[in-house]
Amino acid sequence: MNKSRVVLSGIIISLLVSSALFAGLMADETQKAKPKVQESNKLESFKKLRRVMAIVEENYVDELSFDEIVDKAIDGLLSNLDAHSNYLNKKKFDDLRANTDGEFGGIGITVGLKDGALTIIAPIDGTPGDKAGLKSGDVILRVNDKSTIDMSIDDAVNLMRGAPRTKVELTIVRKGESKPLVFSIVRDIIKVDSVKVRKIEGSNFAYVRISSFDKNVVRNVVSELKQLGKVEGIVLDLRNNPGGVLDQAVDLSRLFIKSGVIVTQKGRAKGENIEYKAKSAPYADLPVVVLINGGSASASEIVAGALQDHKRAVLIGEQTFGKGSVQTVMQLDQNEGLKLTTAKYYLPSGRTIQAVGITPDIVIYPGAAPENENNFSIKESDLKRHLQGELDKINVPNAKAKTENEDKKTITNAMIQQDIQLKSAIDVLRAWNVIGANPKSKGGK
């Protein structure tokens, strides 16, 4: 039985390519799971199910084939277990494959169920949903003309996906707004540039933005950090990061944690009990500040939680989403499968992420940094810099293009002033360097 394990949009997916799995689950595994249940009781329960299906086949107002009734029975069973378990018919299975390939037509948001409501975990950077102004925590009330009440996550996702350059309309309930908001969004091909590493102006600090955990995250982070040269501290921005590949989340944590457990996965089946441990950490002594918010979920919560438990980072921002369950996709045949919750994540301290999330060490709400509006004085150095800039415009025809190109490689002071959470993170790094505080990972002495 071949297995490959990934996390997609905050959900771990394991493809178990064995067409005989379902039969085994119904027989051997069920017996192992509940040895006290008498075989006769099972047979009576199956007879009841068969009678109900026969009644539906004969008497339901619309004629249904027996195959359709079976599919609906399986779908109802799984959707009643939890928000993330469900039956994957051919269309849903094809959509899952498209999602795994990393390119699809949609609006670029990750959704989950929170308090029973279809909630946006995070918009993906630079996508139509992000540009339209959708925010983490927005509740989706309708997709086009269809209500999302009692709608499964996968059904809602399928409605929002579609061909590029087509429109989808979302009706949103947002905290602080007196009435629902309506967004008309044009779909596009969703391609995610998951890693951005920039130098922070006026310092030797690096800004590392990870928007999702794809299969190349750690390799790109290490490569780009090396290109920056000397680095004295890192701001790791995991805001609005809905998750990604589990192995990448673990390996990113290993860059900063020398030894000990990073995350533990626990389920009923022995094969679902996995402990991921730290290895040699190239940045074990480097100060790290992590930015998180309500859009940080799943794999990003694992990273933030592991760094917090090992006292390897200061966490700044807001409470994370709280997605700590593992979904396994079990393939029935070439075109169908089941997605079933099979395990939960536990952080090094033993605490769970599921429905709880990660609490930052320093709570900072988003917004611009306050400035002294009454300060109109211009320093001599500022004036000289301004005059030099005017000369550059005369002497160098492409000075503007050059400046814009440099800004793309640098987090400027102007950008920092517009982001109080980022400014607070940089301030913590500056204080860290002043007092010489370099926390070691547990067991790393």
Side-chain angles (χ1 to χ4, degrees):
M1 189 179 297
N2 297 323
K3 293 186 179 182
S4 60
R5 192 171 300 273
V6 298
V7 183
L8 181 58
S9 302
I11 297 174
I12 291 191
I13 300 171
S14 285
L15 293 178
L16 309 180
V17 286
S18 171
S19 59
L21 177 63
F22 185 68
L25 183 66
M26 292 296 293
D28 296 339
E29 294 303 320
T30 305
Q31 290 176 8
K32 291 176 184 177
K34 295 185 177 180
K36 295 181 181 180
V37 177
Q38 297 296 321
E39 195 65 29
S40 59
N41 289 345
K42 290 183 187 179
L43 290 173
E44 285 301 316
S45 296
F46 280 122
K47 286 179 182 178
K48 182 197 294 185
L49 176 62
R50 189 174 62 189
R51 286 198 299 270
V52 170
M53 293 171 71
I55 291 171
V56 171
E57 185 182 24
E58 290 295 325
N59 298 284
Y60 186 63
V61 61
D62 296 322
E63 186 175 347
L64 296 173
S65 69
F66 198 73
D67 283 345
E68 289 176 308
I69 295 171
V70 170
D71 287 352
K72 290 179 182 295
I74 296 171
D75 191 33
L77 164 65
L78 292 168
S79 63
N80 275 284
L81 295 176
D82 60 68
H84 302 292
S85 297
N86 66 301
Y87 168 58
L88 302 174
N89 57 24
K90 186 179 185 307
K91 184 180 184 306
K92 290 180 180 179
F93 209 72
D94 289 342
D95 289 336
L96 177 65
R97 286 168 176 151
N99 215 346
T100 306
D101 289 339
E103 184 176 301
F104 50 91
I107 61 175
I109 61 173
T110 305
V111 297
L113 282 182
K114 194 165 190 177
D115 300 326
L118 186 68
T119 305
I120 296 177
I121 298 175
I124 300 171
D125 292 352
T127 60
D130 180 42
K131 294 174 181 176
L134 297 177
K135 296 182 179 180
S136 172
D138 284 349
V139 173
I140 302 175
L141 192 63
R142 286 192 309 188
V143 180
N144 294 326
D145 59 346
K146 295 184 181 295
S147 168
T148 62
I149 298 172
D150 296 326
M151 183 182 289
S152 73
I153 294 173
D154 285 346
D155 285 343
V157 168
N158 288 335
L159 284 175
M160 288 184 280
R161 282 198 192 134
R165 295 181 293 281
T166 60
K167 286 186 178 181
V168 61
E169 187 175 272
L170 300 188
T171 303
I172 297 292
V173 175
R174 179 175 292 170
K175 185 177 180 181
E177 296 290 342
S178 59
K179 60 181 181 179
L181 307 175
V182 178
F183 292 83
S184 182
I185 305 171
V186 179
R187 298 181 180 97
D188 199 356
I189 295 294
I190 305 302
K191 293 182 179 179
V192 181
D193 182 11
S194 58
V195 173
K196 294 178 182 176
V197 177
R198 304 286 185 267
K199 188 170 184 178
I200 295 173
E201 186 177 7
S203 73
N204 285 322
F205 301 145
Y207 171 81
V208 178
R209 164 67 180 157
I210 301 177
S211 57
S212 66
F213 284 92
D214 65 30
K215 62 183 179 181
N216 297 316
V217 161
V218 175
R219 182 179 67 186
N220 291 341
V221 167
V222 171
S223 173
E224 294 194 37
L225 281 175
K226 286 180 179 178
Q227 291 179 32
L228 287 187
K230 184 180 180 181
V231 173
E232 296 178 350
I234 292 175
V235 176
L236 179 60
D237 191 349
L238 299 179
R239 292 174 295 182
N240 291 338
N241 181 324
V245 180
L246 174 64
D247 290 347
Q248 292 296 298
V250 171
D251 286 346
L252 185 74
S253 302
R254 285 171 174 160
L255 295 179
F256 309 106
I257 300 171
K258 279 185 178 178
S259 62
V261 174
I262 290 175
V263 66
T264 303
Q265 177 182 308
K266 295 180 181 179
R268 284 179 60 194
K270 184 177 280 188
E272 293 295 336
N273 295 329
I274 305 170
E275 190 176 69
Y276 298 90
K277 292 187 175 182
K279 298 177 181 178
S280 58
Y283 303 107
D285 297 327
L286 202 64
V288 181
V289 178
V290 181
L291 294 175
I292 54 174
N293 65 4
S296 307
S298 193
S300 58
E301 291 177 290
I302 289 171
V303 174
L307 292 173
Q308 187 181 54
D309 279 1
H310 282 279
K311 302 188 185 302
R312 271 299 290 120
V314 176
L315 272 55
I316 290 178
E318 303 159 272
Q319 188 85 7
T320 62
F321 186 81
K323 169 66 176 69
S325 61
V326 181
Q327 280 69 46
T328 302
V329 172
M330 303 178 178
Q331 190 164 335
L332 299 181
D333 55 33
Q334 288 297 106
N335 298 308
E336 296 178 316
L338 310 176
K339 185 168 67 177
L340 191 67
T341 300
T342 56
K344 291 181 180 179
Y345 292 128
Y346 294 88
L347 295 173
S349 61
R351 57 182 172 145
T352 182
I353 299 169
Q354 181 63 25
V356 178
I358 306 293
T359 302
D361 300 304
I362 303 173
V363 176
I364 301 287
Y365 295 105
E371 295 184 80
N372 183 1
E373 296 180 359
N374 297 318
N375 186 1
F376 292 101
S377 62
I378 299 176
K379 296 179 181 179
E380 181 182 0
S381 59
D382 294 331
L383 180 59
K384 287 181 178 179
R385 190 182 304 115
H386 173 71
L387 294 175
Q388 183 61 51
E390 294 301 311
L391 284 173
D392 289 342
K393 291 177 185 177
I394 298 171
N395 297 330
V396 184
N398 63 345
K400 182 179 179 182
K402 182 179 178 182
T403 301
E404 289 177 351
N405 186 54
E406 287 173 351
D407 285 350
K408 289 181 181 179
K409 298 179 181 178
T410 306
I411 299 298
T412 65
N413 287 323
M415 296 176 186
I416 295 168
Q417 290 302 316
Q418 293 304 309
D419 188 342
I420 184 62
Q421 293 174 331
L422 176 57
K423 183 179 184 302
S424 300
I426 295 168
D427 289 344
V428 168
L429 284 181
R430 292 189 193 281
W432 203 324
N433 280 351
V434 167
I435 64 176
N438 251 346
K440 309 287 185 179
S441 61
K442 290 181 180 179
K445 294 181 178 179

